[in-house]
Amino acid sequence: MSRATPAEHVAQNGFTVHTRGRGFSEITDKVAELIATSGVHTGIANIFTAHTSCSLLISENADPAVRTDLERWFARAVPDGDKIFQHDAEGPDDMPAHVRAILTGVGLTIPVHGGKPQLGTWQGIYLWEHRVDPHQRKVIVTVFGH
């Protein structure tokens, strides 16, 4: 069993994702780049987006049908314009976007080893825009370790 060691280094950086509206933007390469330049060899990376109508997720990155299926399922589970919602200040996709972000989450934590994110073979990191219109989304990557 390995011995616990305190984090000797913390690095934080961010970037902006320009979405095209509802859908997925793969950010795996950008996150990997920030991890590689962080100076952390072994540790964890926290990826966070400070928005209430988009989310972050790790998903299948080989077959785009997975993301299409996710979008279809959420369209059924949390439809735009559902009369159950009162909050529609920015349109019929406003409250559904908030629900989608709550269900999928705005933060991820992944292990880092060798200065690289330790993702599975078919895993990619995505920002999922839940609004119909394009937006600029900030993503913050904080890497802890040694």
Side-chain angles (χ1 to χ4, degrees), residues 88-107:
D88 62 358
E90 296 178 8
D93 67 333
D94 196 359
M95 190 61 203
H98 296 310
V99 172
R100 290 170 179 222
I102 290 166
L103 291 174
T104 52
V106 296

Side-chain angles (χ1 to χ4, degrees), residues 8-71:
E8 297 172 358
H9 187 77
V10 177
Q12 187 174 76
N13 210 328
F15 58 95
T16 301
V17 177
H18 301 273
T19 72
R20 294 182 302 255
R22 185 170 285 161
F24 296 86
S25 298
E26 187 167 5
I27 60 172
T28 310
D29 290 344
K30 187 63 180 172
V31 170
E33 175 187 322
L34 293 179
I35 290 171
T37 60
S38 72
V40 172
H41 181 270
T42 303
I44 60 170
N46 176 267
I47 303 111
F48 176 77
T49 185
H51 300 282
T52 61
S53 52
C54 69
S55 57
L56 297 170
L57 67 149
I58 294 174
S59 183
E60 158 89 48
N61 68 353
D63 185 354
V66 171
R67 294 179 299 281
T68 302
D69 288 345
L70 282 170
E71 194 63 65

Side-chain angles (χ1 to χ4, degrees), residues 120-140:
T121 302
W122 307 114
Q123 290 182 321
I125 304 168
Y126 294 88
L127 183 134
W128 190 358
E129 176 64 63
H130 299 301
R131 298 301 306 270
V132 172
D133 292 332
H135 285 80
Q136 292 184 27
R137 304 300 192 177
K138 292 181 181 179
V139 177
I140 301 164

Side-chain angles (χ1 to χ4, degrees), residues 74-101:
F74 266 87
R76 182 186 300 167
V78 191
D80 291 343
D82 193 322
K83 299 299 179 195
I84 194 172
F85 299 128
Q86 291 180 24
H87 177 73
D88 62 358
E90 296 178 8
D93 67 333
D94 196 359
M95 190 61 203
H98 296 310
V99 172
R100 290 170 179 222

